[in-house]
Every structure is written in C-alpha cells, then in structure tokens.
Amino acid sequence: MFDKILFISSALATIVGAVLTISVKNIMHAAVFLLLSLLGVAGLYLTLGADFVAVIQLVVYVGGVVVLMVFAVMLTAGSSGQKANRFGLVKIPTMGNFRTYTIGIVFAALVLMTIIKLYTNVFAMSRLAQIPAYSPTVSKIGISLVGTHVLAFEISSVLLLGALVGAAIVSRPRRENR
Amino acid sequence: MNQTVASYLLQYEPVQQLLAFLSKLLGFNAISLLYFLIFALAILAAVGFLSLVGGLGTYAERKISADMQARIGPNRVGPYGILQFLADGVKMLLKEDIVPTQSDKFLFYVAPMLCIVGVFGTIAVVPFSSGFTIFDFNVGLVYLIGISSLVGLGVFLGGYGSNSKWSMLGGMRGASQIISYEIPVVLSALSIVLLSGGLSFSSLVKAQGGWPHQWFIFHNPFTFVGFFILFIGSLAETNRAPFDLPEAESELVSGYHTEFSGMRFGFFALAEYIEVFVVCGLAAALFLGGYNVPMNLGGDGLIGQVLQLGSFISKTLFLYYMVIVTRWTLPRLRVDQLMTMCWKYLIPISMVNLIMVGLWMVAFDGKSIFDLIFSGASVATGTGH
C-alpha cells in the first residue's frame, strides 16, 4: 500500500514534469519542471530499492545539471539579438526545415526501436516480477566498480581528464602572436 | 538495514502493546499505520524544533551582535526580548504579499518553496541521537548534499524571477558561490567517509567516541585542517558573512530576496537560519563526535537518548554561536577574493587532505594520532601489554 502510494506519486511527478517541460514556452519554467521530473525519477529508483542510484540522481541531476542549465540559459539569453526574449528563445527560423525534420525522424526511430526492444522483454514476462528484499547497494557498486568493471571506470576517468584539459584550453587567455 | 525512528521505538514493550491493541481494534495488521503515525509525529517534532531554532537564531544573532557592539539589542517583547522572533513572525504573516508586476510570477512563487523544501528535506537524515534519527539512510551523507542543492537553485531562481538588477546580481552570486563551495565541503566530508568506512550518519558517528581525543577532528593533522575547510565551506554555502555576497546590504539592498515581502521573505530567512543549524550539525556529526556521550552514559535507553540529544545539540549550537560571532567579526570578501579562496586555496588543500588521509589509513592502519602516542608511551615506559 505504502509502496504503491510512493510509486504513484513519483511516477506522476515524472510524467507531469516531463510533459510540462516540453509544453511550456518559457525555458526557465521548463527547467523547473525538468527538476520535478528528475526528482520523480529519483523517487522511482527509491521504490525499486536502488538507494545509491537515487541519491546520485539527486546530486548529479538536481544539484548539477539543472543548475548548469539554468546558468547557461541565463548567460546566453538576450545575446542572440531580436530572436530571443528575456527568458530565452521565442522562435528560431531554422527550427523547422527539411534537415531538422530528417534528423528528428531518424532519432525518433532510434528511440522507438530501443523502447520496443526493452518492452519485448517486459511483455515476455508472464507476471509481475517480485522485487527482491531490500539490501544496501553501495558496497556492491563500489566493489564492482573497482573489480570487474575497473576498465570502464578508468576509461571514463580518461574522458573526464579530456574534458578538463579542453576546458582549461578554452578558458585560458590567448597568447599574443608577436 | 536502514534504522529509522519507528524501528527504534518498536523495540519497546509499550509500543508493541500499542501495535497489538491497534491491530485488534482495527482488525488488520496496523504496522504500516503505526509507522505512518510515528513518522508523522517525529517529523512534526523535528520541523517544529528546527523552526524554533531558526526563530531563536534570529534573536540570538541580534543579541550577540548587540553584545559585540556594546548595544542592548531587542529588549521589549517578553523577558530580555526573547519573544521578538514571534513578533517578527506575526508581522511577516500579516504583511501584504507584494508580487512585482514585471516579475516572472511562476519563478517568484516557486523560489521560496525550493529553498524551504531543500532545507527541510535534509532533516530526514540529521542524526539527533542514535534512536531519534528520522531515517538513518545508508547513503545519508550523499542524500543530504544532494537535497540541499535545491537551496542554491531556489536562491538563483528567486534572484532571476524578481526581474530586478539587485536580485539578479545577488542570485548569480549566490548560485556560483554555492556551487563552488560545495566541492571543498564534499571533499573534506569524503575524507571522513574514508576513515569511518560508511556513508550513513550512524556509521560516521559510531566510528568516533565520546571523548574529544576519539573525535575525527583530532584523528590526524589532516582531518584537523579538513574540519576548518568544511566549516568555511558551509559558511559560504549558507551565505553567511564573510561570504554574504548574495545579500550584501551595502551593495545590493538585500540581494536575491530584495523584492520578496511577507512570508515569502520569511521562508528565505527561515531557510537560511535552519540551514545554518543543519550544516553545523553536519560538521558536529562528521568531526566532533556527533551524538556520542562519554563512557556511553545511559546506554541505548531513553535516558541515553536524552543525553545523546543534549550532546549533539550542544555541539551544534556551539558551532552556531561560532558562525554568528564570525559574521560580526569579519568584513565581507570581494567576489574575486571569494572565488580565489575557493578554487585556488580550499579545493587544492582539501584534495591533498583527502589523499593524505588515505595514506594515513594505509600507513598507520587507521589508528588516530592519540592511539599512536598512547601506545608509544606505554611501550616506552614498559607499562601496559
């Protein structure tokens, strides 16, 4: 009963937030609704017993990504002249030409294929799977990160190093050519 | 397993009897209902207590600042003016709620809510005592850091939605400051996670002892430095002086909450004072032994719980006092000084700290410096063993 209430409220937050994110005109409001949606996803993780993933969702998406988005919107809004209002973009002329529609259709097809592939497994299951009893996941994730999956872990650190070096190169003052 | 206040109370005979009585009365297993009731009561108690602390915080701030400046401070409402915060609260509730016509209404309404939700969300894991932690989440520290980042977003959206230059500047400063100072705070908290080997507040606190030499602040020289980094970082995260740039009165009128009036302003103010309490509690739990009582007086019974509550709250309030004294002692930093201090000093120091704490764990097998001195002394004098 209690689990169901938690699940329904998290799912509602996720769906309502996602729908409002793509339907509101104002990009700042969209960021706030995206926040609601991401919080709902964290709640969904919690109802599945994935405690570590849920709090990392909170830290990374709520604390990092949404704040960064809001920052980016604020720093770029108004810089593109008449096309943007105070809250971001009103309309960009290039938004609906042949090229963008093609790209959109290709990506929609990709997403649809992924979803169908996922859902075939779901429908193949005859009944609702039983969620195993709750057990803490932190130590398991830690052990597998530096154990069986150490290669992926190290490669992602190389990626982060690349991003760091790139940021340093972009932001450092240009040297004058004498 | 995740310990909660409900599972703690259910150990006791009267609560089990109540459960049996309720089940018999209602005709079904009432354990969920009882859990719900206990959580509701515990959250009500914690929110009420923290609101009281927040309210009294404003009073303490005025009284201490008055003392430091050889004034008297509030002295009209109640004995020694102690009811001043109630008068302020009533005033805020009765004030007209002004929403600027040119503001972004939605963001204007949402921003104070985000602040207060972010702060009250942290209460769930604050370790008041071994029994009275509402939910001893096994990743409680990460949860606290994650949910409290809503406050930064609230500050920023409040500044942005007001559509005023002062608010805008305050909000920008607030957001950049909160994001920047999160890094040294998390890094120095991580060094404590290394030492205790757990992310839940109970494991962090229980790895320490009741006496000061068992606290993590005196564990080794690096954690000693780490405590001050965490403390400075949490001053900046809660926008307290000398880092109160987001609401710098002399430049920005009142910063991000310039346009807010009535209870919306009250939410911002209350969120700030409660957040100060929460981050002081975090520092006390991580470095100052948390709720540990010397010699484990009172055990795990109800008397022990009261002593533990007293231990935790007195440590936290001491830090709260230090925060207020700091505010009225130091002048405000400039923006560039603020960023320099964070990115060029605090973050490198805390990174070195983290690595050195790891090395200390390897080199001395996780023993604290006092353990090493005592064992060395007992070997030298031939006593012990």
Short mmCIF file of all heavy atoms in Angstrom, two decimals, chain B residues 85-97 261-267:
data_model
loop_
_atom_site.label_atom_id
_atom_site.label_comp_id
_atom_site.label_asym_id
_atom_site.label_seq_id
_atom_site.Cartn_x
_atom_site.Cartn_y
_atom_site.Cartn_z
N PHE B 85 11.18 37.04 18.13
CA PHE B 85 11.03 36.29 16.88
C PHE B 85 9.57 35.96 16.61
O PHE B 85 9.14 35.92 15.46
CB PHE B 85 11.90 35.02 16.91
CG PHE B 85 11.40 33.92 17.76
CD1 PHE B 85 10.67 32.88 17.22
CD2 PHE B 85 11.68 33.89 19.12
CE1 PHE B 85 10.22 31.86 18.00
CE2 PHE B 85 11.22 32.87 19.91
CZ PHE B 85 10.49 31.85 19.36
N LEU B 86 8.77 35.78 17.70
CA LEU B 86 7.34 35.55 17.49
C LEU B 86 6.68 36.80 16.94
O LEU B 86 5.87 36.72 16.00
CB LEU B 86 6.68 35.16 18.82
CG LEU B 86 6.94 33.74 19.30
CD1 LEU B 86 6.22 33.50 20.60
CD2 LEU B 86 6.48 32.75 18.26
N ALA B 87 7.08 37.96 17.48
CA ALA B 87 6.52 39.21 16.98
C ALA B 87 6.87 39.39 15.51
O ALA B 87 6.03 39.77 14.68
CB ALA B 87 7.05 40.37 17.81
N ASP B 88 8.13 39.05 15.17
CA ASP B 88 8.54 39.15 13.77
C ASP B 88 7.73 38.22 12.89
O ASP B 88 7.31 38.60 11.79
CB ASP B 88 10.02 38.79 13.64
CG ASP B 88 10.90 39.89 14.16
OD1 ASP B 88 10.38 41.01 14.33
OD2 ASP B 88 12.09 39.64 14.40
N GLY B 89 7.51 37.00 13.39
CA GLY B 89 6.75 36.03 12.61
C GLY B 89 5.34 36.52 12.35
O GLY B 89 4.84 36.45 11.22
N VAL B 90 4.69 37.03 13.39
CA VAL B 90 3.32 37.54 13.23
C VAL B 90 3.32 38.70 12.24
O VAL B 90 2.47 38.79 11.35
CB VAL B 90 2.77 37.98 14.59
CG1 VAL B 90 1.45 38.72 14.41
CG2 VAL B 90 2.57 36.77 15.48
N LYS B 91 4.32 39.57 12.35
CA LYS B 91 4.40 40.71 11.43
C LYS B 91 4.51 40.21 9.99
O LYS B 91 3.83 40.72 9.10
CB LYS B 91 5.63 41.55 11.78
CG LYS B 91 5.71 42.82 10.97
CD LYS B 91 7.06 43.47 11.08
CE LYS B 91 8.03 42.79 10.14
NZ LYS B 91 9.32 43.48 10.08
N MET B 92 5.36 39.19 9.78
CA MET B 92 5.55 38.70 8.41
C MET B 92 4.28 38.06 7.87
O MET B 92 3.95 38.21 6.70
CB MET B 92 6.66 37.66 8.39
CG MET B 92 8.00 38.30 8.24
SD MET B 92 9.23 37.03 8.36
CE MET B 92 10.67 38.02 8.53
N LEU B 93 3.56 37.34 8.74
CA LEU B 93 2.33 36.70 8.28
C LEU B 93 1.28 37.73 7.90
O LEU B 93 0.52 37.53 6.95
CB LEU B 93 1.77 35.80 9.38
CG LEU B 93 2.40 34.44 9.51
CD1 LEU B 93 1.85 33.72 10.72
CD2 LEU B 93 2.11 33.62 8.27
N LEU B 94 1.24 38.87 8.64
CA LEU B 94 0.19 39.85 8.40
C LEU B 94 0.55 40.83 7.30
O LEU B 94 -0.29 41.60 6.85
CB LEU B 94 -0.10 40.62 9.69
CG LEU B 94 -0.67 39.76 10.81
CD1 LEU B 94 -0.91 40.61 12.04
CD2 LEU B 94 -1.95 39.10 10.37
N LYS B 95 1.80 40.82 6.87
CA LYS B 95 2.23 41.79 5.87
C LYS B 95 1.60 41.52 4.52
O LYS B 95 1.27 40.38 4.20
CB LYS B 95 3.75 41.69 5.72
CG LYS B 95 4.47 42.97 6.05
CD LYS B 95 5.94 42.75 5.86
CE LYS B 95 6.63 44.07 5.77
NZ LYS B 95 8.06 43.89 5.58
N GLU B 96 1.43 42.57 3.75
CA GLU B 96 0.88 42.38 2.41
C GLU B 96 1.89 41.64 1.55
O GLU B 96 3.09 41.92 1.59
CB GLU B 96 0.57 43.74 1.78
CG GLU B 96 -0.15 43.60 0.45
CD GLU B 96 -0.24 44.91 -0.27
OE1 GLU B 96 0.10 45.94 0.33
OE2 GLU B 96 -0.64 44.90 -1.45
N ASP B 97 1.38 40.68 0.78
CA ASP B 97 2.26 39.88 -0.07
C ASP B 97 2.36 40.57 -1.43
O ASP B 97 1.44 40.51 -2.23
CB ASP B 97 1.66 38.48 -0.22
CG ASP B 97 2.49 37.63 -1.13
OD1 ASP B 97 3.70 37.87 -1.21
OD2 ASP B 97 1.93 36.73 -1.78
N SER B 261 8.46 39.97 -0.01
CA SER B 261 7.96 40.57 1.22
C SER B 261 7.10 39.54 1.94
O SER B 261 6.78 38.49 1.39
CB SER B 261 7.13 41.82 0.93
OG SER B 261 5.95 41.43 0.28
N GLY B 262 6.73 39.86 3.16
CA GLY B 262 5.84 38.99 3.91
C GLY B 262 6.45 37.62 4.14
O GLY B 262 7.65 37.48 4.37
N MET B 263 5.60 36.59 4.03
CA MET B 263 6.05 35.26 4.41
C MET B 263 7.00 34.68 3.38
O MET B 263 7.76 33.78 3.69
CB MET B 263 4.83 34.35 4.60
CG MET B 263 5.06 33.26 5.61
SD MET B 263 5.68 33.91 7.16
CE MET B 263 6.69 32.55 7.70
N ARG B 264 6.97 35.20 2.12
CA ARG B 264 7.94 34.69 1.15
C ARG B 264 9.35 35.06 1.59
O ARG B 264 10.27 34.23 1.53
CB ARG B 264 7.67 35.26 -0.23
CG ARG B 264 6.42 34.75 -0.81
CD ARG B 264 6.19 35.29 -2.20
NE ARG B 264 4.78 35.20 -2.50
CZ ARG B 264 4.16 34.07 -2.76
NH1 ARG B 264 4.84 32.94 -2.82
NH2 ARG B 264 2.88 34.05 -2.99
N PHE B 265 9.52 36.30 2.03
CA PHE B 265 10.82 36.67 2.59
C PHE B 265 11.11 35.82 3.83
O PHE B 265 12.23 35.37 4.05
CB PHE B 265 10.83 38.16 2.97
CG PHE B 265 11.98 38.52 3.83
CD1 PHE B 265 13.25 38.61 3.30
CD2 PHE B 265 11.81 38.74 5.18
CE1 PHE B 265 14.32 38.91 4.10
CE2 PHE B 265 12.88 39.04 5.98
CZ PHE B 265 14.14 39.13 5.44
N GLY B 266 10.03 35.60 4.63
CA GLY B 266 10.20 34.81 5.84
C GLY B 266 10.72 33.42 5.54
O GLY B 266 11.56 32.89 6.27
N PHE B 267 10.24 32.82 4.43
CA PHE B 267 10.73 31.50 4.04
C PHE B 267 12.22 31.53 3.75
O PHE B 267 12.96 30.66 4.18
CB PHE B 267 9.98 31.01 2.80
CG PHE B 267 8.73 30.25 3.13
CD1 PHE B 267 8.24 30.24 4.41
CD2 PHE B 267 8.05 29.55 2.16
CE1 PHE B 267 7.09 29.55 4.73
CE2 PHE B 267 6.91 28.85 2.46
CZ PHE B 267 6.42 28.86 3.74
#
